[in-house]
Amino acid sequence: MTSPIEKCRLIDLPKITDPRGNLTFIEGGNHVPFDISRVYYLYDVPGGSERGGHAHKGLHQLIIAMSGSFDVLLDDGAGKRRFHLNRSYYGLYVCPMIWRELDNFSSGSVCLVLASNIYEESDYYRDYNEFIESRERK
Ligand code: TYD
């Protein structure tokens, strides 16, 4: 069986290069393996801040460094992977049941997230031990 973390990957988004400025677009179900229900973004992140620190039960997400850079640590309880995001044409696909932590934000960075569902607190694991235990029960 494929472990969840092996399904997480960097997606190379379409890029229309143009001397007037480049353009990238994302179509739900086409460039990302889910339909997009929600968009949110992190900005004005103070130096040294950490975000994330949770897992989702059913949510699929694509994380993009729209501006600047930051690191994303993914952990499915069996393995960990760290990604450094610093291009607005790369998206990190994160499938359900992945604990994630975001840190090392550069000044002025903007983290855009596309999500497969609206916000539901009941979809979160906010306690790491509870996340690991639920994973072991499956
Ligand atoms: P959270 O997902 O914990 O942020 P992060 O993973 O970036 O550290 O969300 C922080 C707060 O914002 C929390 O109180 C829930 C709220 N929130 C919404 O109301 N809607 C949303 O779409 C998101 C992502 C968060």
Side-chain angles (χ1 to χ4, degrees):
M1 198 181 77
T2 316
S3 67
I5 209 160
E6 288 169 41
K7 295 183 199 152
C8 300
R9 63 186 192 280
L10 277 179
I11 294 178
D12 200 356
L13 298 165
K15 182 182 178 190
I16 312 290
T17 54
D18 190 309
R20 299 171 302 161
N22 299 331
L23 182 153
T24 284
F25 57 95
I26 307 167
E27 295 170 357
N30 187 4
H31 304 107
V32 292
F34 56 86
D35 289 329
I36 300 162
S37 285
R38 174 169 51 123
V39 176
Y40 66 91
Y41 35 96
L42 301 172
Y43 53 98
D44 293 346
V45 180
S49 259
E50 293 178 6
R51 301 289 315 216
H54 56 73
H56 287 283
K57 297 173 187 172
L59 195 72
H60 298 254
Q61 292 178 306
L62 189 81
I63 304 176
I64 304 169
M66 290 304 285
S67 183
S69 64
F70 51 85
D71 291 347
V72 185
L73 176 69
L74 302 182
D75 175 357
D76 70 357
K80 296 184 186 191
R81 296 170 74 187
R82 180 174 279 276
F83 294 85
H84 180 64
L85 298 186
N86 61 356
R87 293 283 182 269
S88 45
Y89 51 86
Y90 283 132
L92 176 62
Y93 168 64
V94 182
C95 67
M97 295 304 287
I98 301 284
W99 189 268
R100 86 286 312 275
E101 286 167 15
L102 286 75
D103 60 14
N104 203 19
F105 287 89
S106 69
S107 138
S109 56
V110 177
C111 168
L112 180 79
V113 183
L114 310 182
S116 64
N117 204 356
I118 59 166
Y119 170 76
E120 279 176 4
E121 185 59 35
S122 60
D123 186 63
Y124 279 73
Y125 288 107
R126 292 203 181 267
D127 181 276
Y128 184 75
N129 292 331
E130 191 194 329
F131 164 64
I132 295 297
E133 283 164 19
S134 75
R135 193 189 152 271
E136 286 166 358
R137 279 198 301 272
K138 288 197 170 154

